[in-house]
Amino acid sequence: MAGLPLLLLLLVLAGILPAANGSGYLSGYRQKSRLQKDRHFRNIRPNIILILTDDQDIELGSMHAMNKTRQIMEKGGTHFSNAFSTTPMCCPSRSSILTGKYVHNHHTYTNNENCSSPSWQAHHEPHTFAVHLNHSGYRTAFFGKYLNEYNGSYVPPGWKEWVALVKNSRFYNYTLCRNGVREKHSGVYSKDYLTDIITNDSTNYFRMSKRMYPHRPVMMVLSHVAPHGPEDSAPQYSTAFLNASQHITPSYNHAPNLDKHWILRYTGAMKPIHMQFTNMLQRRRMQTLLSVDDSVEKLYNMLVETGELDNTYLIYTSDHGYHIGQFGLVKGKSMPYEFDIRVPFFVRGPNVDQGAINPHIVLNVDLAPTMLDMAGVDIPAEMDGKSILKLLDTDRPVNRFQVNRKGKTWRDSFLVERGKPLHKRGEEMAQEENFLPKYQRVMDLCQKAEYQTSCQQPGQKWQCVEDQTGKLRLYKCKGMAGLYAPRMQALMARGASHVQLSPTTDSDICNCDVVGFKTSFLKRKRLLTKKNPAALSYSDVKSSKTASRKRWARSVSFELDGDLYAVDLEEGYRPPGSRNSSWATHRRRGEGNEEDNDEFSGMGVTSKPSTSSKPTPPAALKVTYRCSILMNDTVKCDGGLYKSLQAWKDHKLHIEHEIETLQTKIKNLRDVKGHLKKVRPEECQCNTPSYLPNNKEIFRLYAGRKHSHRMPSKQKSQWLQKEQKRRKKLRKFLKRLQNNDTCSMPGLTCFTHDNHHWQTAPFWTMGPFCACTSANNNTYWCLRTINDTHNFLFCEFATGFLEYFDLNIDPYQLINAVSTLDRTALNAMHQQLMELRGCKGHKQCNPEKGGKERNYFSEYRGQIWEGWVG
């Protein structure tokens, strides 16, 4: 009986204490992995070094330039062959790396929007992985590029050593913030080349830390700017890769892509000068990576010399990928395709298999929780990513009877998002049940009775018509009857619109006898119309009041910021094609007849000039250089558009571009109109007694009293921010006009390149050119899935456009196969995408799959599809 208490004590120690330890972690934090428990038991905390490059691709062969890195990281560690960035933009992706969160949770949507802003500094910067590691005793250090809009005025929390680049990537002539002190650098390679400075400072800091604090672990981030522009290589590498061609993939110069979203439909095939530029760009990018390759080797040798190699985790990756000529886009990122979202990802360290290829999906949001897990620090539940440490845990059977262990469960889908969310429109889109291709939506609408009649029902706006190919199309109902006279009336009013009232000799003197200056625009238009008897006689079928409301008096209407605007092109826009119209003006009689400009697609008149003094009705209105509207309200184009599908597509894109141009012109006119409202002169008060205040003073009085009640401080600050953005855009626009910048296109992100852009060899000598790389409406949310049965990308753009690519049969995403999907599949993918768009935390953002997926991932050690070029 004496041994019974001792036996009970042993049972308690063997059974109860481990159970208490297993359930003793804090609520809201995740359970520790086996490797983490083993290190904690041995009281060994590893060093962690993250090597991050900028804009480095994996699809275009950039790793072929880095033989030393591949030897150290790929053969000496594990290569994750399915590594992705959830946002292919610099600042959003880097913010995700720091916080472990998706963009919709840290709200850094673009390289400008909330990038290193006061909101970011207040709400997200205090919760980066550096803060957690610093609190746990790690000596943290950062070297290189931080965030695009970081201004160097402060040191972010959590960093013991801070040597960060101010603003965006540069190799020379930059400013560093070294522990709060700004440090300027020039263009001397030996002391200013940023890649070498990052390497030397980081290795020196590691040696110093181990010498002063031998038992404290170190966490460092080496954030290189290569291969980001301006792609300045070290002088010793300026002649390397003379015939670089790894970027020429099957999607290279595959353009135009009429089945993809707007920018790719607009972008045509590259010109020879663009193709020469892509070759030079690929060469220079790979040259800059040679210095990063040297950096990895020096870091490796330093770890060997200090004896810390076996106790150090090395992680090598990039913030996102890149494209050079793919789909006709000369250069850039921000696309949801493989070349922009796939990144290199290598891990080397304790208990990490050497020379292994791991096909599990890893993301940039996994870096923060992984480094915390490596350090033995609890992972906050609000992080969206997951630690990949258990994927590095080598599976070994416990005994000879347990050969096949249960495979790991892991995500098979993730979210790719880019751009700012659409507030009102986004909520409406989220409430829709079906996201169908356009042809299916048209088919559903055509089943309704109100679309099946030929514009006969009262108030009917649309009708379904079957075209020559058998497809159903929606056409807008236009009132055929009664439009001939109003249209001609609006046309003939052009001749009278040039009559002007003679101004007084002194415009500053108020003359109450001149009525014309006090009438509204509509009244002046009526008066002018009455003064032209020819126009009046031709248009007495309808009154001028009716004509002023017809579309030919206000021919362009568009929606901007929820408001509908209309512009009178007849008054404010005079295309070159109208110079020959003798009935439009009598001031050019002696100039002779000129030919119409066929290259212009504005609102011109196709009638021949007449020698008669009376205006004659034209045969048709020329809308584009290939299409006109006849007097019977029908559209007539030249025969080529009806015979050639390519000509039809090209002309349609041309019309869309013209619409964008006119919308930009209208926006500028609105700015001028707003300015004129502010500087409006005082009206004459001829019939008002002098002792009564005028209407303007009364309005100012009441507005001053009510403004403080109507405009709260929050709304006022929002209005001021919008006003600042508007003025900034206006200044940029005026600057482009002053510099004769013809590269900028409405709705597009374009760049110019000339012989002076690159200041280091090899130099560009083929002269200037312009290219557009992205569009303002390139906002999307995509579902990327890889498992044993599916390998696809499904995207919903903010414009309502859908894209779907089956990468098992189309690895280079050449064909948008959304039309092959049925409604059930679309609904399922849309539902899963909507869940990921609103997810928060690792449980919601990582749908784990088991079963076949587990066996597939545990057994398969190669690429996901046959023939993939990584």
Side-chain angles (χ1 to χ4, degrees), residues 592-834:
N593 296 336
E594 299 175 356
E595 294 294 329
D596 288 340
N597 188 358
D598 291 337
E599 297 300 324
F600 184 76
S601 63
M603 302 292 294
V605 180
T606 61
S607 63
K608 298 295 181 181
S610 174
T611 58
S612 173
S613 60
K614 295 183 179 181
T616 59
L621 274 177
K622 185 176 182 181
V623 179
T624 69
Y625 65 93
R626 303 191 71 168
C627 296
S628 303
I629 297 183
L630 306 179
M631 287 304 99
N632 59 357
D633 203 65
T634 59
V635 178
K636 180 66 176 179
C637 302
D638 59 52
L641 289 182
Y642 301 108
K643 298 179 181 179
S644 172
L645 178 60
Q646 186 62 40
W648 178 88
K649 293 179 179 179
D650 293 341
H651 197 62
K652 184 174 179 292
L653 289 176
H654 174 74
I655 293 174
E656 292 175 353
H657 171 63
E658 289 293 329
I659 293 174
E660 293 284 341
T661 304
L662 290 175
Q663 288 179 348
T664 303
K665 181 178 178 65
I666 292 168
K667 171 65 170 54
N668 299 332
L669 291 174
R670 287 184 58 221
D671 294 338
V672 175
K673 180 182 178 182
H675 170 73
L676 292 178
K677 285 183 177 180
K678 296 179 182 179
V679 298
R680 178 181 177 181
E682 295 291 337
E683 295 184 359
C684 299
Q685 302 294 332
C686 299
N687 299 325
T688 305
S690 59
Y691 58 85
L692 293 178
N694 57 29
N695 295 334
K696 201 168 194 178
E697 294 174 352
I698 296 175
F699 173 77
R700 288 177 178 174
L701 178 63
Y702 280 93
R705 293 177 181 175
K706 297 180 180 180
H707 184 72
S708 60
H709 301 285
R710 291 183 178 179
M711 182 77 73
S713 59
K714 185 177 181 179
Q715 294 182 3
K716 186 176 181 180
S717 62
Q718 293 177 353
W719 179 86
L720 289 175
Q721 290 178 359
K722 290 182 179 180
E723 183 67 15
Q724 290 175 356
K725 289 182 180 180
R726 188 191 67 82
R727 291 181 179 180
K728 184 178 180 180
K729 290 182 179 180
L730 181 60
R731 287 195 300 268
K732 289 184 178 180
F733 175 74
L734 294 176
K735 186 177 181 180
R736 289 198 300 265
L737 292 180
Q738 293 175 358
N739 298 334
N740 295 323
D741 183 7
T742 58
C743 182
S744 300
M745 304 289 287
L748 295 176
T749 302
C750 305
F751 76 96
T752 56
H753 190 89
D754 54 30
N755 294 350
H756 305 289
H757 181 77
W758 284 324
Q759 300 298 320
T760 58
F763 298 102
W764 175 258
T765 59
M766 298 187 65
F769 68 87
C770 169
C772 297
T773 59
S774 186
N776 294 344
N777 60 359
N778 188 27
T779 297
Y780 54 78
W781 301 267
C782 298
L783 175 67
R784 184 72 175 93
T785 296
I786 303 176
N787 54 41
D788 64 333
T789 57
H790 294 86
N791 182 15
F792 66 83
L793 174 72
F794 172 72
C795 293
E796 297 177 358
F797 288 80
T799 57
F801 195 81
L802 302 181
E803 289 187 356
Y804 171 82
F805 302 93
D806 186 351
L807 280 82
N808 282 327
I809 60 177
D810 183 19
Y812 296 98
Q813 298 158 292
L814 304 179
I815 302 173
N816 180 12
V818 70
S819 60
T820 63
L821 300 175
D822 56 19
R823 182 178 301 182
T824 303
L826 282 170
N827 284 338
M829 288 186 291
H830 169 68
Q831 183 64 30
Q832 187 176 359
L833 181 58
M834 294 305 299

Side-chain angles (χ1 to χ4, degrees), residues 133 162 190 195 643 724 761 835 864:
L133 292 177
W162 181 255
S190 59
T195 304
K643 298 179 181 179
Q724 290 175 356
E835 292 175 358
I864 287 300

Side-chain angles (χ1 to χ4, degrees), residues 30 99-101 127 132 368-369 372 379-385 841-842:
R30 309 179 199 177
T99 61
K101 296 181 180 180
H127 306 288
H132 296 286
L372 295 182
I379 304 171
E382 61 266 16
M383 285 189 175
D384 301 330
H842 72 284

Side-chain angles (χ1 to χ4, degrees), residues 390-495:
K390 74 174 185 179
L391 301 180
L392 299 169
D393 188 3
T394 305
D395 290 337
R396 295 185 177 92
V398 178
N399 52 58
R400 61 191 181 92
F401 299 104
Q402 188 179 359
V403 178
N404 296 322
R405 298 180 62 187
K406 184 178 180 181
K408 301 181 180 70
T409 59
W410 194 251
R411 69 167 74 93
D412 72 340
S413 300
F414 63 95
L415 173 68
V416 182
E417 54 185 340
R418 190 265 181 187
K420 293 186 291 185
L422 302 177
H423 301 291
K424 293 183 179 180
R425 185 178 299 178
E427 294 172 2
E428 294 174 0
M429 291 173 62
Q431 295 173 1
E432 291 182 357
E433 296 180 358
N434 300 323
F435 269 66
L436 300 176
K438 183 177 180 181
Y439 80 96
Q440 289 191 5
R441 296 198 302 268
V442 172
M443 289 178 59
D444 290 345
L445 288 174
C446 289
Q447 301 297 324
K448 299 181 180 180
E450 59 264 27
Y451 293 100
Q452 297 179 0
T453 58
S454 301
C455 292
Q456 296 176 357
Q457 300 182 14
Q460 182 177 350
K461 296 182 179 180
W462 301 89
Q463 67 166 335
C464 281
V465 179
E466 187 174 350
D467 61 9
Q468 298 178 354
T469 61
K471 292 184 178 180
L472 293 173
R473 304 204 180 262
L474 283 176
Y475 287 93
K476 190 172 183 178
C477 293
K478 302 176 182 178
M480 302 300 178
L483 286 183
Y484 179 83
R487 174 168 298 173
M488 289 309 304
Q489 181 182 14
L491 289 173
M492 303 307 296
R494 291 186 58 176

